[in-house]
């Protein structure tokens, strides 16, 4: 529980649910006749509806990006360091919208919600969704709020992929596109990491072919292993060395297969805590969404051509120690934007924290990001 809510916090916020009854045809060919989207908003929409910003979350993120849902919360939203009064994404200026993507497990329709046609959990029968599907959902959501365009669409990692897709699919609806620690498509190594994570989950005896909720169980071991593997890839070698080194948990070797080193204890803690807050089928779905993302594929693999219709001004940010989505990937995006003659600023932040750096208020990162945001016009009040 927070001892006191800071002045630069958005404070206590409520997650809301918006229901959509208009059928949605997904890229996989399946149709959702109706679905729910969970969301939070921070700040006030101005009279011209010109100051709205969309925050796109990464794989394990959700709609709770800032503030607290109750005074009992131990931690604020996942990007509280960046969103709030006077912060980089200033809620005194902007109306900020954060959505739990379709297929998520925090209130939006997904594997852990009820399929209205069967009265049972969707489970593994929830259709595979793509980043393009998410953008279509987000566009419908925007229109339901009577917002004509986003002042900015902002996201890191899988969120940055959504930003790119927005600039391609709805170029006249995005004024500014902020792409952080992202890539235009996954490397074979990244796809391989995701496959190992999925196999860890699906090989758990409690997975029950994805119908574990009906059996009132959870594939805890598999999801824990998947998260442990993922967490390793989010950190850099320097970050792990600085935080743990070869420090022993009990000050001595136990000559067994239980925890000896602090880093082992940390990974097990991360895995166990993740199991309590995330759905295994959602993890499978989100990693497939990552794997399938390739907006240049319909354009013969030419990313510059894919981005040729974009009209947004871009800020692309990468981090030197990020080996999951390396700076090379951000430079590929930047080169494609320059090839398409788009307005783009690129910055590579010297940081040792790895992929997770995009979530951390590193001074240089915040200064660059903040300077860009201050130059965005929020329109008339």
């Amino acid at each position: 529980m927070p001892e006191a809510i800071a002045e630069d916090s958005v404070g206590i916020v409520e997650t809301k649910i918006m229901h959509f009854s208009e059928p949605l045809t997904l890229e996989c060919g399946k149709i959702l006749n109706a679905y729910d989207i969970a969301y939070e908003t921070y700040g006030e929409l101005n009279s011209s509806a010109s100051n709205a910003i969309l925050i796109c979350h990464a794989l394990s993120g959700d709609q709770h990006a800032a503030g607290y849902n109750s005074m009992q919360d131990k931690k604020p939203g996942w990007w509280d360091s960046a969103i709030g009064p006077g912060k980089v994404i200033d809620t005194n200026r902007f109306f900020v919208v954060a959505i739990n993507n379709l297929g998520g497990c925090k209130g939006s329709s997904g594997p852990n919600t009820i399929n209205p046609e069967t009265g049972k959990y969707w489970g593994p029968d929830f259709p595979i969704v793509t980043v393009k599907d998410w953008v279509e959902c987000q566009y419908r959501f925007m229109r339901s709020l009577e917002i004509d365009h986003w002042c900015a669409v902002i996201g890191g990692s899988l969120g940055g992929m959504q930003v790119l897709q927005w600039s391609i699919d709805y170029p006249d609806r995005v004024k500014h596109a902020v792409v952080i620690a992202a890539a235009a498509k996954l490397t074979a190594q990244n796809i391989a990491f995701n496959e190992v994570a999925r196999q860890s989950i699906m090989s758990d005896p409690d997975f029950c072919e994805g119908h574990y909720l009906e059996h009132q169980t959870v594939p805890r071991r598999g999801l824990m292993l998947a998260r442990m593997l993922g967490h390793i890839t989010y950190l850099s070698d320097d970050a792990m060395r600085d935080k743990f080194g070869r420090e022993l948990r009990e000050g001595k070797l136990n000559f067994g297969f239980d925890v000896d080193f602090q880093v082992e204890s940390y990974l097990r803690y991360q895995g166990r805590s993740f199991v309590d807050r995330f759905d295994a089928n959602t993890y499978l779905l989100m990693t497939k969404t990552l794997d399938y993302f390739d907006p240049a594929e319909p354009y013969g693999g030419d990313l510059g051509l894919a981005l040729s219709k974009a009209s947004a001004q871009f800020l692309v940010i990468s981090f030197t120690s990020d080996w999951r989505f390396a700076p090379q990937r951000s430079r590929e995006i930047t080169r494609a934007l320059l090839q398409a003659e788009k307005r783009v600023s690129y910055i590579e932040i010297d940081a040792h924290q790895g992929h997770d750096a995009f979530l951390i208020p590193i001074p240089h990162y915040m200064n660059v990001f903040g300077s860009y945001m201050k130059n965005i016009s929020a329109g008339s009040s």
Side-chain angles (χ1 to χ4, degrees):
M1 158 183 327
E3 293 182 2
I5 295 177
E7 291 184 1
D8 62 355
S9 170
V10 297
I12 302 296
V13 295
E14 177 188 1
T15 287
K16 299 178 181 179
I17 304 292
M18 185 175 291
H19 180 73
F20 291 83
S21 55
E22 178 186 357
L24 176 67
T25 301
L26 303 170
E27 275 205 284
C28 68
K30 295 184 178 180
I31 298 173
L32 287 178
N33 290 317
Y35 55 93
D36 293 331
I37 295 294
Y39 69 100
E40 290 183 2
T41 64
Y42 322 109
E44 299 293 334
L45 186 65
N46 63 19
S47 60
S48 59
S50 60
N51 68 332
I53 285 179
L54 175 65
I55 304 296
C56 302
H57 69 73
L59 188 151
S60 60
D62 53 41
Q63 72 279 4
H64 185 44
Y68 300 87
N69 288 142
S70 76
M71 288 300 293
Q72 282 67 52
D73 285 1
K74 294 181 179 179
K75 293 181 179 180
W78 58 268
W79 218 10
D80 190 76
S81 61
I83 301 171
K87 293 181 181 178
V88 170
I89 303 171
D90 189 351
T91 52
N92 288 331
R93 298 181 61 221
F94 300 111
F95 176 66
V96 181
V97 178
I99 292 173
N100 183 213
N101 286 331
L102 187 68
C105 56
K106 295 299 179 69
S108 292
S109 294
N112 71 335
T113 62
I114 299 298
N115 179 348
E117 296 180 6
T118 65
K120 298 179 180 180
Y121 287 110
W122 274 101
D125 296 326
F126 195 85
I128 296 292
V129 293
T130 65
V131 171
K132 192 176 182 70
D133 295 328
W134 285 344
V135 169
E136 179 59 29
C137 286
Q138 293 162 359
Y139 173 75
R140 292 184 179 189
F141 183 92
M142 178 188 79
R143 300 304 295 155
S144 71
L145 294 182
E146 298 184 347
I147 295 172
D148 181 67
H149 69 272
W150 298 114
C151 185
V153 181
I154 303 171
S157 191
L158 180 53
M161 294 176 170
Q162 295 168 63
V163 176
L164 286 175
Q165 195 71 56
W166 258 103
S167 72
I168 295 168
D169 288 356
Y170 291 102
D172 58 337
R173 305 291 184 173
V174 184
K175 298 289 186 182
H176 294 266
V178 181
V179 181
I180 308 171
K185 61 182 176 182
L186 289 195
T187 61
Q189 183 187 51
N190 269 311
I191 294 172
F193 280 128
N194 287 343
E195 173 59 7
V196 172
R198 287 191 292 267
Q199 288 300 318
S200 298
I201 293 170
M202 291 188 291
S203 62
D204 189 310
D206 289 326
F207 183 62
C208 302
E209 297 184 327
H211 297 284
Y212 48 85
L213 293 177
E214 293 178 31
H215 291 79
Q216 297 182 328
T217 187
V218 175
R220 300 186 66 86
R221 287 163 289 182
L223 185 55
M224 176 180 169
L225 288 173
R227 182 58 173 179
M228 289 170 70
L229 172 66
H231 205 73
I232 292 170
T233 70
Y234 303 148
L235 302 175
S236 68
D237 183 44
D238 286 345
M240 295 183 81
R241 182 171 59 248
D242 289 349
K243 192 168 186 175
F244 306 108
R246 289 179 54 84
E247 185 178 346
L248 295 168
R249 187 184 183 194
E250 298 177 5
K252 63 182 178 64
L253 295 174
N254 292 310
F255 296 96
F257 296 106
D258 203 352
V259 170
D260 281 312
F261 297 94
Q262 288 286 11
V263 67
E264 296 172 309
S265 177
Y266 171 77
L267 287 174
R268 292 191 186 191
Y269 169 78
Q270 290 293 330
R272 291 190 188 104
S273 63
F274 189 69
V275 169
D276 294 332
R277 65 182 177 85
F278 211 79
D279 176 66
N281 279 320
T282 294
Y283 199 89
L284 298 178
L285 185 151
M286 294 286 182
T287 56
K288 271 299 182 183
T289 303
L290 269 166
D291 291 354
Y292 288 168
F293 181 71
D294 184 4
E297 192 276 332
Y299 300 86
D302 188 333
L303 184 59
L305 184 60
L307 291 164
S308 63
K309 294 181 181 179
S311 61
Q313 182 172 334
F314 287 80
L315 172 64
V316 180
I317 301 175
S318 69
F319 301 89
T320 53
S321 60
D322 183 355
W323 59 276
R324 187 80 195 253
F325 286 177
Q328 181 183 351
R329 307 281 82 81
S330 291
R331 290 195 291 268
E332 288 171 354
I333 294 170
T334 303
R335 283 196 295 270
L337 287 165
L338 292 173
Q339 174 191 329
E341 299 182 340
K342 305 303 174 183
R343 297 169 296 167
V344 55
S345 299
Y346 172 67
I347 182 71
E348 188 172 309
I349 304 294
D350 187 10
H352 74 275
Q353 292 92 342
H355 186 58
D356 269 356
F358 84 93
L359 296 169
I360 299 170
I362 300 165
H364 187 203
Y365 167 39
M366 291 290 101
N367 287 338
V368 169
F369 191 3
S371 294
Y372 186 89
M373 297 302 297
K374 285 178 182 176
N375 287 324
I376 291 179
S377 171
S380 61
S381 60

